[in-house]
Amino acid sequence: MSPATPSPIAFPDVILPQSASQLRTEVRSFLDEERARGTVLGRPDSWLAGWDPGFSRRLAERGWVGMALPTEYGGAGRGFLERYVVIEELLAAGAPVSAHWVSDRQAGPSVLEHGTDEQRRFFLPRIAAGQCFFSIGMSEKGSGSDLASVATRAERTTTGGWRLTGTKMWTGGAHANDYAIVLARTDETEDKHAGLSQFIVDLRAPGVRIEPIRLMSGEHRFNALHLEGVELPGSMLLGRRGDGWKQVTGELAFERSGPERYLSTFPLLVSLLRELEQRSVTAEQLTHVGILTARLHSIRRLSLGVAASLDAGAPADIRAALVKDLGTRLEGTLTETVRSVLPTPADPHATPGSHPELLAFALLHSPGYTLRGGTNEILRGIITRGLEQH
Amino acid sequence: MNAHTIDTSAPVICADAYDATVFYADPDAIAVVAHTTAADAVALPHPDASTAELLAAAQEAGRRAVPAPFAETALVARPLLRRARLPIPDGPLSYALAPDLTIRYAHPAASGVGSAGCSGDDDALLVTGTLRRVPWARAAGAVVVLATAPFGPVLFTLTPDQAVLTPGANLAGEPRDDLHLAALEIPASQVRRVPPDLLEEAGLRAALARSALIAGAAERCVGLTVAHTTARTQFGRPLSRFQAVKQEEARLIEETALVRAAVQAAAAPLDTGVPAARFAVAAAKTQASASAAEIARIAHQLHGAIGTTRLNPLHLATTRLWSWRDEDGDETHWARRLARPLTAANLWPALTTEP
Ligand SMILES: Cc1cc2nc3c(=O)[nH]c(=O)nc-3n(C[C@H](O)[C@H](O)[C@H](O)COP(=O)(O)OP(=O)(O)OC[C@H]3O[C@@H](n4cnc5c(N)ncnc54)[C@H](O)[C@@H]3O)c2cc1C
């Protein structure tokens, strides 16, 4: 590892700009208003499970959805670091952000980068207005970690459009969202990474069938998305035919690097502190809380380093993988630590928002933390692959 | 920047000169033991350098296992002397914070009451007691002591030859000497009354200096492990090609990046002052100490048998990690200090406060 090449160990230390603290204050007062309305409930995993289109719209009115999109497309033209400040505040508060989550994080930047001008003019202002919600249609029954093996096909129609056939699995929010970005095979190629393309699929189009898949908690969050000969106009190809793999992996740094990769269970720690305030706290309990807090703080610094890299247009996929492995493991550790610091039987039927109910919720969601968005084993492979180049 | 250089000629295994691949290439090769050379000297930054620069240098000293009180001098002793407006001597320095000492006026005023005297003709002190496990005391030109005198918090300096020295060492063989002071008179010129928060600042400085050393030793573990798993072949492939090895190696890298980030994040707050630094430094030392075990564990596991010996320099880093995590407050101590002021309402603001 020569000092000249950026090492995966040395992240830039970020000092947020002055504008960030002003922004943070504004977001906090917005959250106070929403708390008074009863919409912000301090729930874990609110970016997966907190569905509230009204909240998304009010957030958008403040300019905080699609805020890194250029103003000519309805965005706020602000940087990734400012977006980071907004979303970390929302996640820490357990605000219901799942409706617009994928639009804001992924679909917006992706349409901006790969879309035609027509697509940008149509989708981006709607995304930034909090009125156009996206799902991710990547995984399939036979294609999880090995995503390039997807079997969904897109064939050219005689009218210059596309016909999509196949089944996407675990498609979050497909039953409630407007569109999905679907990865499909357009061409048979030797190299399985070639011949893939991305499409924007209207989830209300004929031939789209959405079959609920229940989580172990009983919640309906994701689905099997059946594409039964769905006809798309030619204009719904996103980016270039055959560039799907490149586009998908380009999105991954955005998908993997955000504060949602370590804050999913943060509200449970807040709940623990609330409980501890009503008791006399032992030195051992303090130790556990301190160790968790130190780790949260340290991971946040790394995560900000990735945001700064993205802001500077620098490649961030290895760093993003590193932070996501650390962060998602912490999400699970946090849950287990909270449980041992204050032994409480997790109870999904306890009063919503009570400590035992939040614990149950975080626990039932916990296996997903280290799977979604690329499993931790795969992420670690990326980190060490990066190392060999140094 | 190159104002002072600490002598590194103490006899140790020279880590940088040792090539593990030689061992495997030549089965007859025994340990390659050398002494540190001038090339291994790490320049001590100018006293005016920012905390971030000093931390980066301390980290490098930790990575190289520099056999000298580098971080102790640059990040603790010198800044404390400066804050107390005492001259800064050249060369290596050390420190002792809040030792258990009996301190009296050396020249009690005639009108003074009681054996300690409630006032003195000057601030010269008479000090009795033991400074325990002082880092590198035998090699230090002076030891900075922060204690409580009859008049309140005090900083004074002494030279090791003024004390009876009982040599001691940590797991890495770094000197940790006891200094016995028997009614030692410290002239007023070496004594300064200091504000009470200087003692807290000193504790934060020492903890952060130690954290930077840990970050450096962790980085050394990564460097050595990556080199080893690339060079070492088993089953006809380099170890680094095995999934199981990659998985562990990635965790080693992650844990090291984490410690480093925590150390870096404390630099600006420490320059800002004690209140700003409390959270960031407590978090840095908690994280550095808490990560040491995992970092050392993975590095050793991936090195196999050779890592357990002096044939390989890994021990230079891991024995330091095992010692440094305890020194200047272990993770339990700092985690409690970090957690004590936290509430449900201020946890998130504490995490997001900018220096
Ligand atoms: C809560 C949740 C929400 C999701 N939402 C969406 C969504 O909205 N849209 C979408 O498209 N997908 C979604 N997914 C799917 C997700 O992307 C996949 O679960 C993930 O990519 C892993 O695929 P898999 O589940 O098939 O596991 P597999 O790939 O079958 O892996 C199973 C196990 O084997 C390990 N493994 C596999 N290959 C290797 C290897 N080469 N080396 C080492 N270990 C390996 C994995 O790490 C894992 O531990 C979601 C998943 C979850 C849990």
Side-chain angles (χ1 to χ4, degrees):
Chain A
M1 283 191 289
S2 80
T5 47
S7 115
I9 298 166
F11 281 51
D13 189 43
V14 180
I15 299 204
L16 290 170
Q18 274 299 310
S19 61
S21 76
Q22 169 69 24
L23 183 59
R24 195 183 293 286
T25 310
E26 290 169 21
V27 178
R28 284 182 186 169
S29 66
F30 170 77
L31 284 167
D32 286 340
E33 284 168 32
E34 290 290 330
R35 253 182 225 106
R37 239 184 228 269
T39 56
V40 173
L41 299 170
R43 297 193 65 75
D45 212 9
S46 67
W47 62 279
L48 182 106
W51 180 269
D52 184 345
F55 179 87
S56 296
R57 238 154 261 155
R58 288 192 294 281
L59 197 64
E61 279 165 22
R62 305 285 180 120
W64 296 334
V65 178
M67 65 186 285
L69 296 174
T71 46
E72 60 168 314
Y73 297 117
R78 302 179 82 157
F80 285 105
L81 281 170
E82 285 172 304
R83 175 177 177 268
Y84 192 100
V85 167
V86 171
I87 62 177
E88 72 170 349
E89 287 295 324
L90 297 171
L91 294 167
V97 289
S98 79
H100 67 274
W101 194 258
V102 169
S103 298
D104 177 67
R105 177 184 73 189
Q106 232 158 319
S110 195
V111 170
L112 179 68
E113 192 177 339
H114 307 297
T116 60
D117 202 52
E118 186 195 344
Q119 287 169 338
R120 292 180 185 173
R121 296 207 176 282
F122 182 83
F123 289 108
L124 299 183
R126 287 174 172 77
I127 286 175
Q131 289 176 356
C132 178
F133 303 137
F134 272 79
S135 291
I136 303 170
M138 292 196 199
S139 307
E140 298 178 5
K141 205 167 162 186
S143 305
S145 300
D146 182 13
L147 184 60
S149 69
V150 290
T152 295
R153 307 201 155 266
E155 296 155 321
R156 226 44 229 209
T157 60
T158 47
T159 54
W162 297 92
R163 184 180 301 108
L164 266 62
T165 312
T167 297
K168 291 293 170 182
M169 292 295 281
W170 333 121
T171 317
H175 54 298
N177 289 342
D178 306 296
Y179 297 92
I181 297 185
V182 168
L183 182 69
R185 182 156 293 285
T186 38
D187 301 279
E188 282 310 326
T189 47
E190 279 272 307
D191 173 8
K192 69 177 180 180
H193 297 107
L196 295 170
S197 306
Q198 285 187 302
F199 295 90
I200 300 175
V201 175
D202 182 345
L203 290 168
R204 308 280 166 273
V208 173
R209 186 164 60 86
I210 290 156
E211 180 192 353
I213 300 174
R214 299 267 161 201
L215 293 178
M216 64 175 121
S217 62
E219 291 164 272
H220 176 197
R221 302 292 171 203
F222 57 31
N223 309 275
L225 170 62
H226 300 283
L227 303 165
E228 299 171 334
V230 182
E231 303 257 356
L232 303 180
S235 61
M236 288 296 117
L237 171 70
L238 176 62
R240 286 186 20 207
R241 176 174 181 166
D243 275 0
W245 184 254
K246 217 168 75 193
Q247 292 170 203
V248 162
T249 47
E251 276 169 46
L252 286 179
F254 297 99
E255 192 186 338
R256 288 179 172 162
S257 62
E260 75 272 30
R261 301 306 185 180
Y262 72 94
L263 285 176
S264 299
T265 56
F266 179 79
L268 186 63
L269 180 58
V270 175
S271 172
L272 174 73
L273 289 182
R274 211 180 293 121
E275 293 294 313
L276 293 181
E277 278 164 29
Q278 294 155 29
R279 298 165 168 79
S280 62
V281 178
T282 66
E284 209 186 328
Q285 288 173 317
L286 273 181
T287 307
H288 284 300
V289 169
I291 291 203
L292 269 185
T293 305
R295 209 165 171 88
L296 269 166
H297 165 76
S298 311
I299 291 176
R300 176 170 178 271
R301 300 308 306 186
L302 288 176
S303 177
L304 278 167
V306 181
S309 304
L310 286 173
D311 216 28
D317 35 339
I318 294 166
R319 287 177 172 171
L322 186 150
V323 177
K324 184 168 179 278
D325 184 27
L326 280 170
T328 54
R329 283 194 281 130
L330 174 69
E331 293 177 332
T333 306
L334 188 154
T335 310
E336 290 303 314
T337 307
V338 164
R339 174 184 158 270
S340 68
V341 166
L342 188 67
T344 315
D347 182 359
H349 305 295
T351 314
S354 66
H355 192 67
E357 188 269 331
L358 294 178
L359 179 60
F361 192 83
L363 208 50
L364 289 171
H365 281 227
S366 63
Y369 307 149
T370 49
L371 292 171
R372 56 187 177 191
T375 73
N376 290 40
E377 288 73 19
I378 297 296
L379 297 172
R380 286 181 216 129
I382 291 170
I383 296 161
T384 45
R385 205 157 42 246
L387 204 68
E388 284 161 13
Q389 295 158 8
H390 286 280
Chain B
M1 278 288 286
N2 209 342
H4 304 275
T5 303
I6 283 182
D7 177 21
T8 62
S9 60
V12 294
I13 297 175
C14 175
D16 288 315
Y18 182 77
D19 186 353
T21 52
V22 173
F23 177 80
Y24 290 110
D26 175 10
D28 294 329
I30 310 296
V32 182
V33 180
H35 294 284
T36 46
T37 58
D40 285 332
V42 178
L44 195 58
H46 191 270
D48 291 333
S50 70
T51 300
E53 284 174 291
L54 294 175
L55 283 173
Q59 212 166 295
E60 181 59 15
R63 193 181 71 79
R64 295 184 183 209
V66 166
F70 185 93
E72 290 86 342
T73 303
L75 276 151
V76 189
R78 285 176 163 193
L80 292 177
L81 287 170
R82 235 146 69 102
R83 292 271 270 109
R85 295 178 206 289
L86 276 171
I88 297 175
D90 275 355
L93 304 172
S94 190
Y95 59 85
L97 307 182
D100 192 11
L101 297 175
T102 306
I103 303 182
R104 297 157 196 260
Y105 282 110
H107 312 127
S111 59
V113 182
S115 59
C118 60
S119 65
D121 288 337
D122 61 15
D123 281 350
L125 300 175
L126 208 58
V127 181
T128 301
T130 300
L131 308 178
R132 301 212 179 270
R133 299 188 70 76
V134 178
W136 298 94
R138 72 190 76 155
V143 177
V144 176
V145 182
L146 266 164
T148 306
F151 50 75
V154 68
L155 180 150
F156 63 87
T157 63
L158 55 93
T159 53
D161 57 12
Q162 293 178 289
V164 176
L165 186 148
T166 309
N170 65 13
L171 290 168
E174 291 187 304
R176 295 295 184 259
D177 304 326
D178 286 353
L179 294 177
H180 308 282
L181 316 177
L184 175 66
E185 183 171 336
I186 314 281
S189 61
Q190 280 168 237
V191 175
R192 288 292 182 274
R193 299 180 181 220
V194 292
D197 77 345
L198 193 66
L199 188 58
E200 183 178 0
E201 180 184 327
L204 295 175
R205 287 190 167 280
L208 188 56
R210 199 62 62 197
S211 305
L213 289 170
I214 289 175
E219 204 179 320
R220 183 64 174 278
C221 286
V222 172
L224 290 172
T225 303
V226 169
H228 180 78
T229 59
T230 310
R232 166 86 164 153
T233 297
Q234 287 290 279
F235 301 102
R237 299 194 261 164
L239 294 178
S240 61
R241 295 286 155 81
F242 293 97
Q243 265 294 338
V245 169
K246 287 185 194 213
Q247 296 289 320
E248 286 293 280
E249 205 163 65
R251 285 173 184 243
L252 170 64
I253 291 164
E254 289 172 7
E255 211 60 29
T256 300
L258 196 64
V259 172
R260 197 188 155 108
V263 170
Q264 278 189 158
L270 192 63
D271 285 335
T272 308
V274 166
R278 272 185 198 124
F279 182 89
V281 173
K285 186 61 163 79
T286 301
Q287 193 56 60
S289 290
S291 294
E294 181 75 345
I295 289 165
R297 179 191 71 76
I298 297 173
H300 273 297
Q301 187 65 18
L302 296 185
H303 268 78
I306 195 172
T308 67
T309 71
R310 292 198 171 186
L311 294 175
N312 180 284
L314 181 63
H315 68 96
L316 294 174
T318 54
T319 52
R320 279 170 177 74
L321 287 175
W322 289 325
S323 290
W324 290 344
R325 64 177 172 172
D326 291 340
E327 293 174 354
D328 300 296
D330 65 5
E331 67 270 33
T332 304
H333 170 86
W334 284 107
R336 287 174 189 172
R337 282 182 62 169
L338 182 63
R340 203 163 288 125
L342 295 178
T343 64
N346 73 15
L347 171 63
W348 182 246
L351 282 163
T352 51
T353 299
E354 288 289 318

